[in-house]
Amino acid sequence: MKGFGSDKEAILELIISRSNRQRQEICQNYKSLYGKDLIADLKYELTGKFERLIVGLMRPPAYADAKEIKDAISGIGTDEKCLIEILASRTNKQIHQLVAAYKDAYERDLEADITGDTSGHFRKMLVVLLQGTREEDDVVSEDLVQQDVQDLYEAGELKWGTDEAQFIYILGNRSKQHLRLVFDEYLKTTGKPIEASIRGELSGDFEKLMLAVVKCVRSTAEYFAERLFKAMKGLGTRDNTLIRIMVSRSELDMLDIREIFRTKYEKSLYSMIKNDTSGEYKKALLKLCGGDDDAAGQFFPEAAQVAYQMWELSAVARVELKGTVRPAGDFNPDADAKALRKAMKGLGTDEDTIIDIIAHRSNAQRQQIRQTFKSHFGRDLMADLKSELSGDLARLILGLMMPPAHYDAKQLKKAMEGAGTDEKALIEILATRTNAEIQAIKEAYKEDYHKSLEDALSSDTSGHFKRILISLATGNREEGGEDRERAREDAQVAAEILEMADTSSGDKSSLETRFMMILCTRSYPHLRRVFQEFVKMTNYDVEHTIKKEMSGDVRDVFVAIVQSVKNKPLFFADKLYKSMKGAGTDEKTLTRIMVSRSEIDLLNIRREFIEKYDKSLHQAIEGDTSGHFLKALLAICGGED
């Protein structure tokens, strides 16, 4: 740091390749030799994110946490996410050290500062966590587990309103080992993961804090892997979060975080940092990260275990699917038909009334309105709406007015007519519908277009892609549970395919045929077990393998089936996100999903959307559409998360 400019490479190399304890010794020796404060000199010489990172590494961990919390509550507004991250993830010992460091550094009481800056149940839970009194006994009483499950259930799901105090007491004080058993038992007893109940019962920062506590109880490393991913995905990087986590976990569990990151996001933490940062800042972060785990599609043994357990959890969970559009309670088809006629009569159209009625009735109620409209006015409601509305709004409203099977049949017809085929639409519909839905679509297609769906697909697609779509269009997927022995055999077939693909004699045609039979005919519960056994046998993820070994439409349809089996609402949340991100909006996909999922699982899709993209579906629609189309979409969306 002496003279003109500073040798950032040397600073980076020295500081990052020493432990925190060694850095404290360097600070003391620097003071003895030069009579200067090393941190003050570094602050003077360096700038921006690189400075923040290096200075963060130079502080003892408890003082680094204290500084982050001080910054989070200083000035206008509070960085609640920072408070949540630190207080939900630290051990009792780390909390006690943090409280002492805060007192030493700022001559202030941390609890008093936090209570002065927060409010409500959020504040109460933060204060409980600040005590650092979580039980640490690994001996768990089964009776107490059952009692806590009952107390949580009665405080939330069974109660009109929520008894937040019970949630705060149990989640704030019980040992991690005890809480893991409580969460497992809660799922078995209620059929819901504890996270779903927290989302349903709590709100705002309090909800986020409680979810963070649950995630840290389940796996602190997974919690931080998720935080790092969210800090770097999308436009712009949340550098403060990225720096804070890389600094605070570098000597604790960074290797575990890397393994879980690789498992969950199918890319290495190293590669994501590399693509998302630059300059000395990037070099320093990559050095802290300590290595690149990107062996395509392969898990390390520990990560394979995590993947296996994730499948185990998804197999137990009985997720209740909920739409956002429900039957109107005070339904009067006569009044609705008259209001719609009035909205379209004379000069100009009252779009607001049309949206208000149609978006807030179930499909069955809309069919009654159609009949009543015909009886009263001798007119076809669909034809009237078509002549009065235009563009995206017309497509959306007319879509809502069609019976679901006829709507899907029409979307498939549109995907196949004219020059070029919309393969994405064909895949999205055929890979995600149940047997009953497929049968209804086939009947509607035949009725509306006087041709069988299989014949239409046959004349519009070709090769393996055609065979897969026709197989899906038969609607003959098994509907039983899992068969473990057969699942192992199916996984073995997939494992052999993987070996074949890695040799020069790989027979692609046989590979795709065997995959097709398994993916297109086995039940969802069975396929979940197959994917789980596949991980166990190979250390590979089946979705990854398909992406790596296949190409084009065949790959896309297989990936869609796998994603749908893994988590169908998440599959649709991804599709909605992609339809709105970047320049321009894919209104057709947006409309198709909002219409077709509105009464099935749009509420679940909303939850997956906010969980993955850190913004609500409501916000995304608001930022990406306009006018009456926006109003109608928000009405179907049904709420802001």
Side-chain angles (χ1 to χ4, degrees), residues 176 180 216 218-226 228 245-246 249-265 267-270 288-291 293 299-307 309-310:
K176 285 191 166 189
R180 283 184 200 117
C216 289
R218 288 197 190 280
S219 163
T220 309
E222 187 173 346
Y223 171 70
F224 282 115
E226 192 178 298
L228 284 168
I245 297 172
M246 295 302 287
R249 309 315 291 185
S250 57
E251 290 181 51
L252 295 175
D253 52 3
M254 186 53 73
L255 200 57
D256 296 329
I257 292 168
R258 271 172 41 188
E259 288 174 354
I260 289 171
F261 194 97
R262 181 72 191 74
T263 308
K264 275 191 85 156
Y265 304 112
K267 62 177 81 180
S268 66
L269 177 58
Y270 189 96
L288 274 182
C289 181
D293 313 307
F299 299 128
F300 342 143
E302 295 90 340
Q305 280 306 308
V306 172
Q309 284 154 15
M310 280 159 76

Side-chain angles (χ1 to χ4, degrees), residues 268-301:
S268 66
L269 177 58
Y270 189 96
S271 66
M272 199 153 179
I273 290 171
K274 198 173 174 182
N275 294 331
D276 219 64
T277 57
S278 60
E280 262 87 23
Y281 175 53
K282 170 163 90 172
K283 284 182 193 165
L285 286 170
L286 291 178
K287 207 163 171 50
L288 274 182
C289 181
D292 189 356
D293 313 307
D294 241 343
Q298 190 166 14
F299 299 128
F300 342 143

